[in-house]
Amino acid sequence: MALLLASPAPMAADGGQNDRLVLLVRELRNEAGDIVPIRDEIRQLLNFFERELQVKFEIRRYPWTRLLNNARNGEGIVFGLSKNRERLQVFQFSEAIYANYVWLVTRSDASFTYNSMLDLKGKTVGVVRGTSYGDDFDSQRNVLFQVEEDTSSNGARLKKLLNKRMDVMAFGDRRSQADEVTQLLQRILRNETSQSDKSMEQGFKVLPKPMLIDELHFAAVGPYYDEAIRRLNTAILHGKRSGEISRILISDR
């Protein structure tokens, strides 16, 4: 097994050389297939945990499905994993770091009112391959509605929606207001696709009610990570009490 954590034991009080901890982070790609850099506020958040734990993260980025497979094999700790029934049988989870809102995006000419999962009946919902949106959603995949699994390029996914290859696009983000998400997706169209124009930017609508508020965690498999998860829990609770996590996460607004 590769070196995952140089010393699982807590650091000495005098603060010696930092341990190394393998952190598995989902990769996102643009329309050209290039990996999109980790957003600055997430980098700052990871820096916060490095300081708190006195570790140095060795970040390894993979597509979501491969990342989960590698995590199940004990390669490292996952950053940003949500809970579902299946994962709870395999992973140990930290305290929640923050919550994502899962928004439903439609074409402007095919909008509908969303109040519950039943409103997705008969529709094709686009999701990033390997993503779970909770047990209720997962139980209705290809039953109440059809699922179209996509690449991680949000720009390409938006174009797929606009080209009527799906009815709804599920999109997770920390923003809690639909108009803020609309502005973000418009920026993504401009920055991550080879072509964009005003008609494309006005061609979609973010429905006002999120489908889900999805809490995200650190997670790992195996007792080897017990101590690291315990220390991460301490850091998360400290960061929430001090307000530092909130300050970091709103820095991109």
Side-chain angles (χ1 to χ4, degrees):
M1 181 182 295
L3 177 64
L4 302 175
L5 186 61
S7 173
M11 293 292 296
D14 58 0
Q17 184 178 357
N18 284 355
D19 295 336
R20 291 173 61 240
L21 182 61
V22 172
L23 192 70
L24 308 181
V25 179
R26 188 181 79 172
E27 69 176 31
L28 295 175
R29 293 182 179 267
N30 60 23
E31 190 182 32
D34 300 322
I35 295 178
V36 176
I38 295 173
R39 294 192 302 198
D40 183 62
E41 75 276 11
I42 299 301
R43 282 281 185 188
Q44 291 183 45
L45 184 63
L46 297 182
N47 290 342
F48 164 79
F49 286 112
E50 285 182 326
R51 292 193 302 270
E52 289 287 309
L53 273 69
Q54 299 186 50
V55 300
K56 179 66 177 176
F57 289 134
E58 179 184 327
I59 295 175
R60 301 179 186 175
R61 301 186 69 187
Y62 301 109
W64 201 230
T65 300
R66 183 180 173 193
L67 181 150
L68 292 177
N69 287 336
N70 290 5
R72 289 187 183 99
N73 290 329
E75 181 178 329
I77 292 181
V78 180
F79 171 77
L81 190 64
S82 59
K83 293 180 179 179
N84 64 21
R85 189 177 297 112
E86 178 186 0
R87 291 173 182 173
L88 283 167
Q89 294 176 357
V90 178
F91 291 89
Q92 60 170 317
F93 286 82
S94 74
E95 297 284 338
I97 313 165
Y98 62 89
N100 256 359
Y101 292 79
V102 179
W103 296 96
L104 298 176
V105 188
T106 69
R107 292 184 301 280
S108 296
D109 62 358
S111 180
F112 60 93
T113 299
Y114 177 82
N115 290 308
S116 73
M117 203 79 66
L118 290 174
D119 295 314
L120 298 178
K121 183 177 181 179
K123 300 187 183 300
T124 299
V125 182
V127 303
V128 174
R129 186 172 290 106
T131 300
S132 169
Y133 292 125
D135 293 323
D136 289 344
F137 183 92
D138 292 347
S139 68
Q140 296 300 326
R141 292 169 64 110
N142 302 320
V143 179
L144 181 68
F145 49 84
Q146 297 300 306
V147 165
E148 177 77 13
E149 291 196 317
D150 305 324
T151 67
S152 63
S153 167
N154 288 315
R157 297 181 68 217
L158 276 169
K159 291 179 70 175
K160 192 173 181 179
L161 172 71
L162 295 173
N163 289 329
K164 301 183 179 182
R165 294 175 60 193
M166 65 174 93
D167 300 308
V168 187
M169 183 181 101
F171 177 75
D173 189 77
R174 291 177 292 96
R175 290 161 179 79
S176 60
Q177 300 297 320
D179 58 345
E180 293 181 338
V181 179
T182 299
Q183 294 169 16
L184 172 63
L185 291 174
Q186 289 172 342
R187 291 200 300 272
I188 287 173
L189 267 179
R190 288 192 292 267
N191 296 334
E192 293 189 13
T193 65
S194 57
Q195 294 180 338
S196 180
D197 56 40
K198 289 295 182 182
S199 63
M200 289 179 63
E201 292 180 21
Q202 301 302 318
F204 66 85
K205 178 180 179 180
V206 180
L207 300 187
K209 179 179 179 178
M211 181 180 71
L212 175 71
I213 299 177
D214 194 24
E215 290 188 327
L216 301 181
H217 311 255
F218 292 100
V221 173
Y224 185 73
Y225 294 102
D226 288 352
E227 177 65 11
I229 293 293
R230 185 192 67 78
R231 293 166 67 188
L232 284 165
N233 282 338
T234 299
I236 291 167
L237 295 175
H238 175 250
K240 288 182 175 181
R241 284 195 300 266
S242 68
E244 183 64 16
I245 289 178
S246 294
R247 284 193 291 272
I248 290 170
L249 292 176
I250 65 172
S251 63
D252 68 329
R253 301 299 178 87

